[in-house]
Amino acid sequence: MSFTSDIKMELCKLENKKLCCMKAECYGIWLFSKCFSLKASAFVTENGLVARKMAELSAAAAGAQPETSFVMSRRKKPAYRVTLPEEESRRGLLSAFGHTGEETSLRVHWENLKGPCCVQAFLRGSFLACGTVTDPQKEYHLEFSVP
Ligand SMILES: [Zn+2]
């Protein structure tokens, strides 16, 4: 287990106390996932808790029904693929965050973040989607690999 996956597992255990934060975390995960558009929405992770968190947040925050399947990651490791197979589901999730899904690139819609609580939740979601961090006992490094 890497330090990053330990941190992600810890973050997945945090409960959002407010709906605004639940939506913000969901937004962070999807916005920084592999693809988030009307044509296709998918996210691949080797971490089962992250996959489950994403599915739960999508359902709770926007009523979307994601599907989870088993795949091989780019690093040839067993992974989970979370997708929104129904166009209606993709449209619903995108419009819940003020996007049409037809934009050439997605920019953060700040109005989805109601306050500091939501900014934290959004960063948590973003980190779950594309973040890595090294053990601060060894060195300091935090990275977001944005698709
Ligand atoms: Zn909030």
Side-chain angles (χ1 to χ4, degrees):
M1 235 5 128
S2 71
F3 185 74
T4 295
S5 54
D6 289 347
I7 296 298
K8 286 185 179 181
M9 282 165 66
E10 228 172 276
L11 292 176
C12 283
K13 290 177 192 161
L14 295 176
E15 294 276 329
N16 288 301
K17 292 189 172 62
K18 297 192 271 181
L19 182 64
C20 60
C21 300
M22 195 182 288
K23 284 183 168 178
E25 186 173 2
C26 182
Y27 186 46
I29 295 188
W30 275 111
L31 194 63
F32 295 102
S33 65
K34 188 176 161 202
C35 58
F36 184 39
S37 72
L38 198 54
K39 219 167 147 191
S41 292
F43 175 69
V44 174
T45 177
E46 291 172 13
N47 190 319
L49 280 180
V50 172
R52 195 169 77 198
K53 184 80 176 185
M54 187 174 196
E56 285 171 5
L57 287 172
S58 303
Q65 296 300 324
E67 242 176 54
T68 305
S69 55
F70 297 102
V71 292
M72 292 303 258
S73 71
R74 275 184 297 169
R75 302 189 310 161
K76 304 285 176 231
K77 298 213 168 154
Y80 303 85
R81 182 181 161 87
V82 182
T83 56
L84 292 168
E86 306 292 326
E87 186 179 314
E88 246 351 271
S89 222
R90 294 191 294 272
R91 190 185 304 280
L93 194 63
L94 283 156
S95 76
F97 299 122
H99 295 284
T100 64
E102 289 164 354
E103 299 93 341
T104 42
S105 69
L106 294 178
R107 298 191 180 277
V108 177
H109 282 187
W110 297 104
E111 56 273 18
N112 290 318
L113 312 177
K114 309 284 182 221
C117 59
C118 294
V119 173
Q120 286 180 6
F122 177 75
L123 283 173
R124 188 166 53 244
S126 309
F127 181 78
L128 290 175
C130 68
T132 54
V133 64
T134 52
D135 185 346
Q137 300 290 338
K138 296 175 188 161
E139 64 174 315
Y140 294 103
H141 186 85
L142 171 68
E143 189 174 315
F144 291 83
S145 295
V146 179

PDB file of all heavy atoms in Angstrom, residues 97-122:
ATOM      1  N   PHE A  97     -23.969  20.569 -12.229  1.00  0.00           N
ATOM      2  CA  PHE A  97     -22.804  21.413 -11.951  1.00  0.00           C
ATOM      3  C   PHE A  97     -22.685  22.571 -12.939  1.00  0.00           C
ATOM      4  O   PHE A  97     -21.636  23.208 -13.045  1.00  0.00           O
ATOM      5  CB  PHE A  97     -21.528  20.560 -11.968  1.00  0.00           C
ATOM      6  CG  PHE A  97     -21.542  19.478 -10.923  1.00  0.00           C
ATOM      7  CD1 PHE A  97     -21.418  18.150 -11.265  1.00  0.00           C
ATOM      8  CD2 PHE A  97     -21.711  19.801  -9.584  1.00  0.00           C
ATOM      9  CE1 PHE A  97     -21.453  17.152 -10.298  1.00  0.00           C
ATOM     10  CE2 PHE A  97     -21.752  18.812  -8.602  1.00  0.00           C
ATOM     11  CZ  PHE A  97     -21.624  17.484  -8.967  1.00  0.00           C
ATOM     12  N   GLY A  98     -23.737  22.824 -13.693  1.00  0.00           N
ATOM     13  CA  GLY A  98     -23.758  23.974 -14.582  1.00  0.00           C
ATOM     14  C   GLY A  98     -23.023  23.770 -15.901  1.00  0.00           C
ATOM     15  O   GLY A  98     -22.662  24.741 -16.558  1.00  0.00           O
ATOM     16  N   HIS A  99     -22.776  22.518 -16.290  1.00  0.00           N
ATOM     17  CA  HIS A  99     -22.101  22.236 -17.557  1.00  0.00           C
ATOM     18  C   HIS A  99     -23.098  21.602 -18.533  1.00  0.00           C
ATOM     19  O   HIS A  99     -24.071  20.978 -18.118  1.00  0.00           O
ATOM     20  CB  HIS A  99     -20.941  21.257 -17.344  1.00  0.00           C
ATOM     21  CG  HIS A  99     -19.830  21.796 -16.492  1.00  0.00           C
ATOM     22  ND1 HIS A  99     -18.902  22.701 -16.949  1.00  0.00           N
ATOM     23  CD2 HIS A  99     -19.515  21.569 -15.197  1.00  0.00           C
ATOM     24  CE1 HIS A  99     -18.060  22.993 -15.985  1.00  0.00           C
ATOM     25  NE2 HIS A  99     -18.401  22.316 -14.898  1.00  0.00           N
ATOM     26  N   THR A 100     -22.801  21.762 -19.839  1.00  0.00           N
ATOM     27  CA  THR A 100     -23.640  21.102 -20.839  1.00  0.00           C
ATOM     28  C   THR A 100     -23.013  19.775 -21.263  1.00  0.00           C
ATOM     29  O   THR A 100     -23.701  18.888 -21.749  1.00  0.00           O
ATOM     30  CB  THR A 100     -23.802  21.976 -22.102  1.00  0.00           C
ATOM     31  OG1 THR A 100     -22.511  22.131 -22.702  1.00  0.00           O
ATOM     32  CG2 THR A 100     -24.409  23.318 -21.787  1.00  0.00           C
ATOM     33  N   GLY A 101     -21.682  19.662 -21.111  1.00  0.00           N
ATOM     34  CA  GLY A 101     -20.973  18.467 -21.554  1.00  0.00           C
ATOM     35  C   GLY A 101     -20.505  18.600 -22.986  1.00  0.00           C
ATOM     36  O   GLY A 101     -19.873  17.709 -23.520  1.00  0.00           O
ATOM     37  N   GLU A 102     -20.834  19.719 -23.610  1.00  0.00           N
ATOM     38  CA  GLU A 102     -20.410  19.942 -24.994  1.00  0.00           C
ATOM     39  C   GLU A 102     -19.312  21.002 -25.077  1.00  0.00           C
ATOM     40  O   GLU A 102     -18.869  21.356 -26.167  1.00  0.00           O
ATOM     41  CB  GLU A 102     -21.629  20.320 -25.848  1.00  0.00           C
ATOM     42  CG  GLU A 102     -22.538  19.112 -26.038  1.00  0.00           C
ATOM     43  CD  GLU A 102     -23.927  19.451 -26.537  1.00  0.00           C
ATOM     44  OE1 GLU A 102     -24.255  20.646 -26.642  1.00  0.00           O
ATOM     45  OE2 GLU A 102     -24.677  18.511 -26.823  1.00  0.00           O
ATOM     46  N   GLU A 103     -18.853  21.483 -23.921  1.00  0.00           N
ATOM     47  CA  GLU A 103     -17.762  22.458 -23.902  1.00  0.00           C
ATOM     48  C   GLU A 103     -16.483  21.772 -24.397  1.00  0.00           C
ATOM     49  O   GLU A 103     -16.316  20.572 -24.184  1.00  0.00           O
ATOM     50  CB  GLU A 103     -17.506  22.949 -22.460  1.00  0.00           C
ATOM     51  CG  GLU A 103     -18.678  23.650 -21.796  1.00  0.00           C
ATOM     52  CD  GLU A 103     -19.568  22.714 -20.971  1.00  0.00           C
ATOM     53  OE1 GLU A 103     -19.517  21.485 -21.172  1.00  0.00           O
ATOM     54  OE2 GLU A 103     -20.315  23.239 -20.141  1.00  0.00           O
ATOM     55  N   THR A 104     -15.589  22.542 -25.057  1.00  0.00           N
ATOM     56  CA  THR A 104     -14.331  21.931 -25.514  1.00  0.00           C
ATOM     57  C   THR A 104     -13.448  21.578 -24.318  1.00  0.00           C
ATOM     58  O   THR A 104     -12.737  20.587 -24.352  1.00  0.00           O
ATOM     59  CB  THR A 104     -13.560  22.855 -26.482  1.00  0.00           C
ATOM     60  OG1 THR A 104     -13.626  24.184 -25.984  1.00  0.00           O
ATOM     61  CG2 THR A 104     -14.127  22.774 -27.881  1.00  0.00           C
ATOM     62  N   SER A 105     -13.471  22.400 -23.281  1.00  0.00           N
ATOM     63  CA  SER A 105     -12.768  22.035 -22.054  1.00  0.00           C
ATOM     64  C   SER A 105     -13.594  22.517 -20.876  1.00  0.00           C
ATOM     65  O   SER A 105     -14.274  23.529 -20.964  1.00  0.00           O
ATOM     66  CB  SER A 105     -11.360  22.619 -22.030  1.00  0.00           C
ATOM     67  OG  SER A 105     -11.438  24.014 -21.904  1.00  0.00           O
ATOM     68  N   LEU A 106     -13.533  21.777 -19.798  1.00  0.00           N
ATOM     69  CA  LEU A 106     -14.324  22.140 -18.622  1.00  0.00           C
ATOM     70  C   LEU A 106     -13.510  23.029 -17.694  1.00  0.00           C
ATOM     71  O   LEU A 106     -12.376  22.711 -17.361  1.00  0.00           O
ATOM     72  CB  LEU A 106     -14.754  20.872 -17.869  1.00  0.00           C
ATOM     73  CG  LEU A 106     -15.723  19.954 -18.605  1.00  0.00           C
ATOM     74  CD1 LEU A 106     -16.012  18.722 -17.754  1.00  0.00           C
ATOM     75  CD2 LEU A 106     -17.013  20.672 -18.935  1.00  0.00           C
ATOM     76  N   ARG A 107     -14.089  24.135 -17.319  1.00  0.00           N
ATOM     77  CA  ARG A 107     -13.459  25.021 -16.341  1.00  0.00           C
ATOM     78  C   ARG A 107     -14.260  24.902 -15.054  1.00  0.00           C
ATOM     79  O   ARG A 107     -15.437  24.569 -15.088  1.00  0.00           O
ATOM     80  CB  ARG A 107     -13.477  26.461 -16.832  1.00  0.00           C
ATOM     81  CG  ARG A 107     -12.685  26.603 -18.105  1.00  0.00           C
ATOM     82  CD  ARG A 107     -12.474  28.058 -18.464  1.00  0.00           C
ATOM     83  NE  ARG A 107     -11.714  28.145 -19.708  1.00  0.00           N
ATOM     84  CZ  ARG A 107     -10.393  28.069 -19.773  1.00  0.00           C
ATOM     85  NH1 ARG A 107      -9.679  27.930 -18.673  1.00  0.00           N
ATOM     86  NH2 ARG A 107      -9.776  28.153 -20.927  1.00  0.00           N
ATOM     87  N   VAL A 108     -13.611  25.179 -13.948  1.00  0.00           N
ATOM     88  CA  VAL A 108     -14.286  25.080 -12.658  1.00  0.00           C
ATOM     89  C   VAL A 108     -15.389  26.132 -12.590  1.00  0.00           C
ATOM     90  O   VAL A 108     -15.137  27.315 -12.849  1.00  0.00           O
ATOM     91  CB  VAL A 108     -13.294  25.295 -11.489  1.00  0.00           C
ATOM     92  CG1 VAL A 108     -14.030  25.256 -10.162  1.00  0.00           C
ATOM     93  CG2 VAL A 108     -12.189  24.259 -11.518  1.00  0.00           C
ATOM     94  N   HIS A 109     -16.591  25.727 -12.287  1.00  0.00           N
ATOM     95  CA  HIS A 109     -17.683  26.660 -12.039  1.00  0.00           C
ATOM     96  C   HIS A 109     -17.696  26.942 -10.540  1.00  0.00           C
ATOM     97  O   HIS A 109     -18.154  26.115  -9.749  1.00  0.00           O
ATOM     98  CB  HIS A 109     -19.025  26.077 -12.489  1.00  0.00           C
ATOM     99  CG  HIS A 109     -19.237  26.146 -13.959  1.00  0.00           C
ATOM    100  ND1 HIS A 109     -20.415  25.815 -14.571  1.00  0.00           N
ATOM    101  CD2 HIS A 109     -18.415  26.535 -14.971  1.00  0.00           C
ATOM    102  CE1 HIS A 109     -20.313  25.981 -15.879  1.00  0.00           C
ATOM    103  NE2 HIS A 109     -19.117  26.403 -16.141  1.00  0.00           N
ATOM    104  N   TRP A 110     -17.168  28.109 -10.192  1.00  0.00           N
ATOM    105  CA  TRP A 110     -16.969  28.436  -8.771  1.00  0.00           C
ATOM    106  C   TRP A 110     -18.277  28.521  -8.010  1.00  0.00           C
ATOM    107  O   TRP A 110     -18.300  28.357  -6.793  1.00  0.00           O
ATOM    108  CB  TRP A 110     -16.152  29.730  -8.637  1.00  0.00           C
ATOM    109  CG  TRP A 110     -14.785  29.560  -9.224  1.00  0.00           C
ATOM    110  CD1 TRP A 110     -14.343  30.049 -10.415  1.00  0.00           C
ATOM    111  CD2 TRP A 110     -13.697  28.788  -8.690  1.00  0.00           C
ATOM    112  NE1 TRP A 110     -13.053  29.634 -10.649  1.00  0.00           N
ATOM    113  CE2 TRP A 110     -12.632  28.870  -9.612  1.00  0.00           C
ATOM    114  CE3 TRP A 110     -13.531  28.050  -7.526  1.00  0.00           C
ATOM    115  CZ2 TRP A 110     -11.411  28.234  -9.394  1.00  0.00           C
ATOM    116  CZ3 TRP A 110     -12.314  27.414  -7.312  1.00  0.00           C
ATOM    117  CH2 TRP A 110     -11.277  27.515  -8.244  1.00  0.00           C
ATOM    118  N   GLU A 111     -19.388  28.764  -8.732  1.00  0.00           N
ATOM    119  CA  GLU A 111     -20.666  28.866  -8.020  1.00  0.00           C
ATOM    120  C   GLU A 111     -21.090  27.525  -7.411  1.00  0.00           C
ATOM    121  O   GLU A 111     -21.997  27.479  -6.592  1.00  0.00           O
ATOM    122  CB  GLU A 111     -21.767  29.458  -8.912  1.00  0.00           C
ATOM    123  CG  GLU A 111     -22.025  28.732 -10.213  1.00  0.00           C
ATOM    124  CD  GLU A 111     -21.122  29.212 -11.358  1.00  0.00           C
ATOM    125  OE1 GLU A 111     -20.078  29.841 -11.118  1.00  0.00           O
ATOM    126  OE2 GLU A 111     -21.472  28.913 -12.512  1.00  0.00           O
ATOM    127  N   ASN A 112     -20.399  26.435  -7.794  1.00  0.00           N
ATOM    128  CA  ASN A 112     -20.677  25.134  -7.179  1.00  0.00           C
ATOM    129  C   ASN A 112     -20.061  25.019  -5.785  1.00  0.00           C
ATOM    130  O   ASN A 112     -20.372  24.084  -5.055  1.00  0.00           O
ATOM    131  CB  ASN A 112     -20.138  23.992  -8.045  1.00  0.00           C
ATOM    132  CG  ASN A 112     -20.934  23.833  -9.323  1.00  0.00           C
ATOM    133  OD1 ASN A 112     -22.157  23.909  -9.302  1.00  0.00           O
ATOM    134  ND2 ASN A 112     -20.242  23.643 -10.437  1.00  0.00           N
ATOM    135  N   LEU A 113     -19.194  25.968  -5.466  1.00  0.00           N
ATOM    136  CA  LEU A 113     -18.520  25.944  -4.165  1.00  0.00           C
ATOM    137  C   LEU A 113     -19.080  27.080  -3.319  1.00  0.00           C
ATOM    138  O   LEU A 113     -18.771  28.237  -3.547  1.00  0.00           O
ATOM    139  CB  LEU A 113     -17.010  26.069  -4.343  1.00  0.00           C
ATOM    140  CG  LEU A 113     -16.408  25.136  -5.413  1.00  0.00           C
ATOM    141  CD1 LEU A 113     -14.915  25.372  -5.574  1.00  0.00           C
ATOM    142  CD2 LEU A 113     -16.695  23.676  -5.105  1.00  0.00           C
ATOM    143  N   LYS A 114     -19.937  26.716  -2.373  1.00  0.00           N
ATOM    144  CA  LYS A 114     -20.697  27.715  -1.620  1.00  0.00           C
ATOM    145  C   LYS A 114     -19.885  28.423  -0.543  1.00  0.00           C
ATOM    146  O   LYS A 114     -20.268  29.473  -0.065  1.00  0.00           O
ATOM    147  CB  LYS A 114     -21.924  27.068  -0.970  1.00  0.00           C
ATOM    148  CG  LYS A 114     -22.783  26.263  -1.918  1.00  0.00           C
ATOM    149  CD  LYS A 114     -23.630  27.134  -2.819  1.00  0.00           C
ATOM    150  CE  LYS A 114     -24.524  26.300  -3.715  1.00  0.00           C
ATOM    151  NZ  LYS A 114     -24.597  26.824  -5.074  1.00  0.00           N
ATOM    152  N   GLY A 115     -18.810  27.824  -0.087  1.00  0.00           N
ATOM    153  CA  GLY A 115     -18.005  28.436   0.971  1.00  0.00           C
ATOM    154  C   GLY A 115     -16.770  27.612   1.240  1.00  0.00           C
ATOM    155  O   GLY A 115     -16.504  26.644   0.517  1.00  0.00           O
ATOM    156  N   PRO A 116     -15.988  27.969   2.278  1.00  0.00           N
ATOM    157  CA  PRO A 116     -14.754  27.237   2.590  1.00  0.00           C
ATOM    158  C   PRO A 116     -14.993  25.730   2.793  1.00  0.00           C
ATOM    159  O   PRO A 116     -14.152  24.915   2.425  1.00  0.00           O
ATOM    160  CB  PRO A 116     -14.265  27.881   3.885  1.00  0.00           C
ATOM    161  CG  PRO A 116     -14.903  29.223   3.909  1.00  0.00           C
ATOM    162  CD  PRO A 116     -16.208  29.101   3.186  1.00  0.00           C
ATOM    163  N   CYS A 117     -16.155  25.364   3.342  1.00  0.00           N
ATOM    164  CA  CYS A 117     -16.464  23.943   3.551  1.00  0.00           C
ATOM    165  C   CYS A 117     -16.487  23.214   2.209  1.00  0.00           C
ATOM    166  O   CYS A 117     -15.961  22.098   2.081  1.00  0.00           O
ATOM    167  CB  CYS A 117     -17.803  23.775   4.282  1.00  0.00           C
ATOM    168  SG  CYS A 117     -19.230  24.509   3.433  1.00  0.00           S
ATOM    169  N   CYS A 118     -17.057  23.857   1.218  1.00  0.00           N
ATOM    170  CA  CYS A 118     -17.159  23.239  -0.107  1.00  0.00           C
ATOM    171  C   CYS A 118     -15.813  23.207  -0.824  1.00  0.00           C
ATOM    172  O   CYS A 118     -15.549  22.273  -1.571  1.00  0.00           O
ATOM    173  CB  CYS A 118     -18.157  23.994  -0.973  1.00  0.00           C
ATOM    174  SG  CYS A 118     -19.836  23.885  -0.375  1.00  0.00           S
ATOM    175  N   VAL A 119     -14.990  24.220  -0.597  1.00  0.00           N
ATOM    176  CA  VAL A 119     -13.668  24.244  -1.233  1.00  0.00           C
ATOM    177  C   VAL A 119     -12.851  23.052  -0.730  1.00  0.00           C
ATOM    178  O   VAL A 119     -12.200  22.352  -1.501  1.00  0.00           O
ATOM    179  CB  VAL A 119     -12.933  25.589  -0.975  1.00  0.00           C
ATOM    180  CG1 VAL A 119     -11.504  25.534  -1.493  1.00  0.00           C
ATOM    181  CG2 VAL A 119     -13.690  26.729  -1.643  1.00  0.00           C
ATOM    182  N   GLN A 120     -12.928  22.792   0.572  1.00  0.00           N
ATOM    183  CA  GLN A 120     -12.224  21.626   1.139  1.00  0.00           C
ATOM    184  C   GLN A 120     -12.734  20.337   0.506  1.00  0.00           C
ATOM    185  O   GLN A 120     -11.942  19.465   0.127  1.00  0.00           O
ATOM    186  CB  GLN A 120     -12.453  21.540   2.656  1.00  0.00           C
ATOM    187  CG  GLN A 120     -11.687  22.551   3.449  1.00  0.00           C
ATOM    188  CD  GLN A 120     -11.952  22.414   4.943  1.00  0.00           C
ATOM    189  OE1 GLN A 120     -12.632  21.496   5.397  1.00  0.00           O
ATOM    190  NE2 GLN A 120     -11.410  23.354   5.706  1.00  0.00           N
ATOM    191  N   ALA A 121     -14.052  20.212   0.412  1.00  0.00           N
ATOM    192  CA  ALA A 121     -14.655  18.996  -0.144  1.00  0.00           C
ATOM    193  C   ALA A 121     -14.272  18.839  -1.617  1.00  0.00           C
ATOM    194  O   ALA A 121     -13.973  17.737  -2.079  1.00  0.00           O
ATOM    195  CB  ALA A 121     -16.169  19.042   0.011  1.00  0.00           C
ATOM    196  N   PHE A 122     -14.253  19.952  -2.356  1.00  0.00           N
ATOM    197  CA  PHE A 122     -13.882  19.936  -3.768  1.00  0.00           C
ATOM    198  C   PHE A 122     -12.428  19.470  -3.938  1.00  0.00           C
ATOM    199  O   PHE A 122     -12.126  18.631  -4.790  1.00  0.00           O
ATOM    200  CB  PHE A 122     -14.079  21.337  -4.363  1.00  0.00           C
ATOM    201  CG  PHE A 122     -13.671  21.462  -5.798  1.00  0.00           C
ATOM    202  CD1 PHE A 122     -14.452  20.938  -6.811  1.00  0.00           C
ATOM    203  CD2 PHE A 122     -12.498  22.114  -6.138  1.00  0.00           C
ATOM    204  CE1 PHE A 122     -14.081  21.054  -8.147  1.00  0.00           C
ATOM    205  CE2 PHE A 122     -12.115  22.239  -7.462  1.00  0.00           C
ATOM    206  CZ  PHE A 122     -12.906  21.709  -8.465  1.00  0.00           C
TER     207      PHE A 122
END
